[in-house]
């Protein structure tokens, strides 16, 4: 009986609390349903492909990239809105100025008869361009008639094109008529073909160097040919000679009409797709990577493949890849270029033209860049095979098409500091300081190394800080620093009246603040902060021949006969 009464007691108590339990359970079910409805869709972080997600808390669309096993990077899709990323803020106060002064004598008055200078250029298109430009100045220094330069047809690039097939030779001759007398070929001598004396000058040979080394031979032989002529003229010259350099490079050197027309078609097709576009010169070819001695995370396969290519250069020493990268000697990977641009404020909707050779790793290497910038184009995707056929068998003509598109782009970006990057950087400074982004590789090395340990906001903030002074702004590089073709400071003038009018207005930042330099840090001019090292074939004396630099019977220095440059050195630089 007692046990029966206890069961009834517990049963009655349970019945009394049952409604309370039901009510609490119902509330919990409702709350769970609401949370499930409002929660965002989960992201599969193991999927290596490009994905998008919508963050409902701030309505920001993001891109995510990452390989299996790597942390996923979330990047805002939209670009920067707080300032114009398509123009240099203070470019309107500077302009190109390369006209000769009244004291610069006419070519007819200073050119001596029976003095003929021939030039044999070296390397790819842009490396040869430096030689073609400097050849005019060398002829002016020697008061000689210049024969239209010969293009390099035997080097790695194996391009059989001559000068007139790349450049408008008649324009080149006529536009420089007041500066230097130029002829298309060496005249015959006593009815016979005239064989000029071959010789070579050191790298960065000064005006006095030409007068002491070359002029005596020219006076004796009357016709000389300077071989392997690239970067054979000093950075620092008389102002009027520097301005002549600019007249050649920026006005006299025009591509032929077929190249110009095709280049303009490519630019027009990019403009039809978007109001603005970026052009990227991407150097990531196997040969170039092997020469650099850098490592890009490809494991034993990469080390074996690039090591085999590296053996082509018998004079190369074993390198320390980590040291090379720390010193900023390694070009950025396509993924790093994409992250740099997105961090600088260029959204995923930006259209990008890529000028590139064979990319090491192919589509797998390019995949992160294409994920960050889906609007990805090359000359091959913008044109038909038939349109490119007249150019496709000639590396220099194909490079000329890329040169035109890169020059006309709103923003030019490079992952390296080779010849094309330098030539275009100088040209874009001269013609209005159009934005030109080259990576501050020394600083970016650690930033990329630690990118997965910080928020995107912190990464982007540091990117802006490190890239100040590397964006193509006026006065970014101290006059005289770097190569003249990259920094033609003598040929860039400042509109002092316009600057004075701006500075006479209300000062937003207080007394002593220079509004023209408000976006450049105090140490911005350390673009090339390593001391300039001597070139391998420069004997260290440019003022006159000494025992080491005496000419032999061929007109070439003895030291240069024993210190030939690596045959494929231009792979890294052009």
């Amino acid at each position: 009986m007692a046990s029966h009464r206890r069961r009834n007691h517990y049963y009655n108590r349970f019945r009394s609390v049952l409604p309370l339990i039901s009510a609490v359970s119902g509330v919990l079910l409702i709350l769970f349903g609401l949370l499930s409805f409002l929660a965002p869709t989960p992201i599969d972080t193991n999927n290596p492909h490009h994905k998008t997600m919508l963050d409902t808390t701030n309505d920001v669309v993001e891109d995510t990239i990452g390989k299996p096993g790597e942390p996923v990077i979330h990047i805002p899709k939209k670009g920067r809105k707080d300032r114009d990323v398509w123009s240099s803020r203070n470019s309107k106060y500077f302009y190109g100025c390369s006209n000769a002064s009244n004291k610069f004598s006419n070519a007819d008055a200073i050119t001596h008869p029976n003095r003929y200078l021939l030039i044999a250029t070296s390397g790819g298109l842009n490396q040869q361009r430096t030689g073609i430009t400097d050849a005019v100045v060398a002829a002016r220094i020697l008061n000689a008639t210049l024969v239209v330069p010969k293009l390099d047809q035997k080097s790695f690039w194996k391009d059989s094109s001559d000068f007139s097939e790349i450049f408008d030779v008649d324009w080149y001759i006529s536009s420089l008529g007041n500066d230097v007398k130029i002829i298309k070929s060496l005249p015959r001598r006593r009815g016979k073909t005239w064989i000029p004396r071959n010789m070579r000058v050191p790298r960065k040979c000064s005006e006095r160097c030409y007068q002491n080394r070359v002029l005596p031979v020219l006076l004796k032989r009357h016709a000389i040919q300077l071989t392997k002529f690239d970067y054979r003229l000093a950075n620092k010259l008389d102002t009027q000679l520097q301005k002549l350099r600019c007249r050649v490079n920026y006005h006299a050197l025009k591509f032929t009409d077929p190249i110009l027309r095709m280049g303009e078609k490519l630019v027009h097709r990019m403009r039809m797709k978007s109001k603005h576009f970026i052009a990227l010169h991407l150097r990531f070819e196997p040969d170039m990577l092997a020469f650099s001695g850098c490592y890009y995370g490809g494991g034993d396969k990469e080390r074996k493949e690039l090591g085999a290519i590296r053996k082509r250069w018998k004079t190369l020493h074993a390198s320390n890849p980590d040291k090379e990268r720390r010193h900023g000697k390694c070009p950025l990977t396509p993924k790093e270029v994409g992250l740099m641009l997105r961090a600088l404020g260029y959204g995923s909707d930006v259209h990008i033209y890529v000028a590139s050779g064979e990319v090491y790793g192919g589509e797998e290497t390019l995949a992160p860049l294409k994920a960050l910038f889906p609007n990805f184009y090359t000359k091959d995707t913008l044109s038909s095979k038939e349109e490119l056929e007249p150019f496709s068998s000639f590396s220099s003509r194909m490079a000329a098409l890329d040169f035109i598109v890169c020059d006309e782009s709103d923003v030019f970006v490079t992952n390296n500091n080779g010849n094309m990057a330098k030539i275009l950087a100088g040209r874009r400074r001269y013609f209005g300081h159009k934005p030109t982004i080259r990576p501050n590789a020394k600083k970016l090395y650690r930033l990329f190394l630690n990118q997965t340990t910080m928020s995107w906001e912190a990464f982007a903030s540091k990117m802006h800080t490190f890239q100040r002074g590397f964006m193509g702004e006026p006065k970014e590089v101290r006059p005289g620093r770097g190569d003249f073709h990259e920094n033609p400071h003598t040929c860039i003038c400042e509109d002092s009246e316009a600057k004075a009018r701006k500075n006479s207005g209300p000062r937003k930042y207080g007394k002593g603040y220079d509004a023209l330099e408000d976006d450049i840090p105090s140490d911005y001019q350390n673009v090339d902060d390593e001391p300039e090292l001597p070139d391998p074939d420069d004997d260290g004396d440019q003022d006159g021949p000494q025992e080491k630099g005496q000419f032999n019977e061929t007109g070439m220095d003895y030291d240069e006969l024993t210190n030939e440059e690596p045959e494929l050195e231009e792979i890294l630089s052009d």
Side-chain angles (χ1 to χ4, degrees):
M1 274 303 277
S3 63
H4 180 71
R5 284 197 298 269
R6 283 196 298 271
R7 283 197 300 270
N8 286 337
H9 173 72
Y10 290 133
Y11 177 72
N12 292 332
R13 288 185 62 184
F14 176 76
R15 290 185 61 186
S16 64
V17 299
L18 185 61
L20 179 61
I21 294 173
S22 301
V24 172
S25 299
V27 170
L28 290 174
L29 286 171
I30 292 171
L31 288 174
F32 180 77
L34 288 172
L35 289 172
S36 299
F37 178 76
L38 295 175
T41 303
I43 298 175
D44 179 9
T45 56
N46 292 321
N47 188 341
H49 300 292
H50 174 239
K51 307 177 291 294
T52 62
M53 77 172 192
L54 182 65
D55 185 341
T56 57
T57 58
N58 57 11
D59 197 31
V60 175
V61 178
E62 295 183 336
D63 285 330
T64 62
I65 60 170
K67 290 183 178 180
E70 293 181 353
V72 175
I73 305 172
H74 300 277
I75 308 168
K77 283 179 90 59
K78 294 185 178 179
R80 189 172 176 176
K81 293 183 178 180
D82 58 333
R83 65 172 296 183
D84 183 7
V85 296
W86 298 106
S87 64
S88 297
R89 192 190 315 181
N90 300 307
S91 60
K92 59 186 174 183
Y93 301 107
F94 299 86
Y95 59 95
C97 53
S98 60
N99 290 338
S101 74
N102 294 330
K103 296 180 181 179
F104 198 66
S105 302
N106 190 282
D108 293 334
I110 59 98
T111 304
H112 289 248
N114 292 324
R115 285 191 195 178
Y116 296 97
L117 178 66
L118 295 85
I119 296 294
T121 61
S122 177
L125 175 67
N126 296 288
Q127 190 171 335
Q128 292 185 88
R129 190 181 184 110
T130 65
I132 294 167
T133 297
D134 291 345
V136 176
V137 181
R140 175 80 190 197
I141 292 172
L142 298 169
N143 297 327
T145 296
L146 176 68
V147 179
V148 170
K150 294 180 182 178
L151 300 190
D152 185 353
Q153 299 175 339
K154 297 180 181 180
S155 70
F156 169 81
W157 306 103
K158 298 291 189 296
D159 190 321
S160 61
S161 303
D162 60 29
F163 188 100
S164 62
E165 291 173 307
I166 304 292
F167 301 103
D168 186 333
V169 65
D170 293 325
W171 173 257
Y172 177 72
I173 294 172
S174 62
S175 63
L176 294 169
N178 291 331
D179 301 310
V180 171
K181 185 177 179 181
I182 305 176
I183 57 177
K184 292 184 179 180
S185 61
L186 189 64
R188 297 175 68 83
R189 193 182 191 189
R190 301 187 187 98
K192 297 180 180 180
T193 301
W194 195 344
I195 306 297
R197 165 62 60 88
N198 283 342
M199 61 182 296
R200 194 186 304 175
V201 294
R203 291 285 179 95
K204 302 172 185 176
C205 192
S206 67
E207 185 175 357
R208 186 178 176 186
C209 167
Y210 275 91
Q211 291 168 345
N212 287 345
R213 286 178 177 256
V214 182
L215 186 57
V217 182
L218 182 60
L219 291 175
K220 182 179 179 180
R221 302 299 298 254
H222 303 296
I224 60 172
Q225 176 171 269
L226 301 182
T227 61
K228 212 169 179 64
F229 197 79
D230 59 334
Y231 296 103
R232 303 285 165 173
L233 189 61
N235 274 326
K236 297 178 182 179
L237 297 172
D238 173 79
T239 296
Q240 290 305 312
L241 293 179
Q242 297 285 54
K243 287 184 177 291
L244 174 56
R245 248 178 174 167
C246 295
R247 289 198 293 280
V248 181
N249 201 358
Y250 306 133
H251 298 285
L253 273 183
K254 284 173 52 178
F255 292 119
T256 59
D257 285 342
I259 292 174
L260 283 176
R261 284 195 296 268
M262 190 63 220
E264 288 165 0
K265 280 183 183 179
L266 296 173
V267 173
H268 175 70
R269 288 167 188 175
M270 287 300 295
R271 294 275 179 226
M272 291 293 289
K273 295 178 182 298
S274 178
K275 181 180 179 181
H276 301 292
F277 74 92
I278 290 174
L280 166 63
H281 183 226
L282 183 63
R283 293 304 311 276
F284 214 71
E285 300 91 340
D287 290 303
M288 192 272 289
L289 297 186
F291 189 95
S292 71
C294 299
Y295 174 66
Y296 292 92
D300 291 338
K301 181 175 181 289
E302 177 186 319
R303 291 187 180 94
K304 183 178 180 180
E305 290 175 345
L306 297 186
I309 299 173
R310 189 174 172 80
K311 290 178 181 178
R312 298 177 189 173
W313 294 277
K314 297 179 181 179
T315 57
L316 287 183
H317 302 292
S319 64
N320 182 333
D322 290 335
K323 182 179 178 181
E324 296 297 309
R325 187 169 283 274
R326 285 198 306 272
H327 289 180
K329 303 297 184 183
C330 300
L332 267 58
T333 67
K335 177 182 177 180
E336 289 170 341
V337 173
L339 290 173
M340 176 182 72
L341 290 174
R342 293 294 292 272
L344 290 173
Y346 297 94
S348 63
D349 59 335
V350 166
H351 288 64
I352 183 169
Y353 177 93
V354 178
S356 173
E358 175 195 358
V359 173
Y360 179 68
E363 284 301 313
E364 184 180 354
T365 302
L366 286 173
L369 177 60
K370 289 185 175 182
L372 292 167
F373 292 97
N375 299 307
F376 182 103
Y377 305 95
T378 66
K379 56 182 174 290
D380 296 293
T381 63
L382 287 172
S383 52
S384 66
K385 185 178 180 180
E386 290 73 24
E387 287 178 308
L388 288 179
E389 188 174 359
F391 314 95
S392 57
S393 299
F394 305 94
S395 61
S396 290
R397 299 182 208 185
M398 293 289 273
L401 297 179
D402 281 335
F403 186 98
I404 293 170
V405 182
C406 290
D407 185 34
E408 292 293 326
S409 65
D410 298 283
V411 175
F412 173 63
V413 184
T414 177
N415 73 327
N416 68 95
N417 198 32
N419 286 313
M420 183 167 171
K422 290 178 180 178
I423 291 286
L424 277 169
R427 183 177 179 86
R428 290 169 70 89
R429 284 188 173 108
Y430 183 84
F431 288 110
H433 284 89
K434 293 186 288 185
T436 302
I437 302 173
R438 65 188 190 102
N440 182 357
K442 285 185 181 180
K443 295 285 184 69
L444 297 188
Y445 158 69
R446 291 203 175 276
L447 183 58
F448 285 125
L449 197 64
N450 300 314
Q451 68 187 40
T452 57
T453 65
M454 65 181 74
S455 67
W456 176 256
E457 290 73 18
F459 178 81
S461 176
K462 287 184 178 292
M463 180 66 71
H464 279 280
T465 300
F466 293 157
Q467 280 299 119
R468 291 170 72 187
F470 291 78
M471 303 291 287
E473 293 285 344
K475 293 188 176 182
E476 225 176 38
V477 184
R478 184 180 293 114
R481 294 300 299 272
D483 184 80
F484 185 78
H485 296 286
E486 179 183 12
N487 181 29
H489 57 94
T490 309
C491 305
I492 296 176
C493 297
E494 185 174 354
D495 189 340
S496 55
E497 292 183 3
K499 179 181 177 182
R501 286 195 298 271
K502 179 176 181 178
N503 290 343
S504 65
R507 291 185 177 271
K508 179 179 178 181
Y509 298 99
K511 186 176 179 180
Y513 184 87
D514 188 347
L516 286 179
E517 299 176 6
D518 61 353
D519 206 30
I520 301 176
S522 59
D523 65 345
Y524 77 97
Q525 290 175 332
N526 293 326
V527 173
D528 295 306
D529 51 9
E530 292 182 359
E532 195 167 292
L533 298 176
D535 283 283
D537 59 344
D538 189 347
D539 59 20
D541 176 77
Q542 295 186 352
D543 293 337
Q546 294 181 347
E547 182 179 353
K548 183 182 179 184
Q550 291 288 342
F551 295 113
N552 63 11
E553 66 274 9
T554 67
M556 185 182 290
D557 293 351
Y558 282 110
D559 60 312
E560 291 185 283
L561 283 171
T562 57
N563 280 306
E564 287 295 322
E565 299 164 23
E567 182 186 358
L568 301 183
E569 182 181 0
E570 61 267 18
I571 291 176
L572 178 64
S573 57
D574 204 63

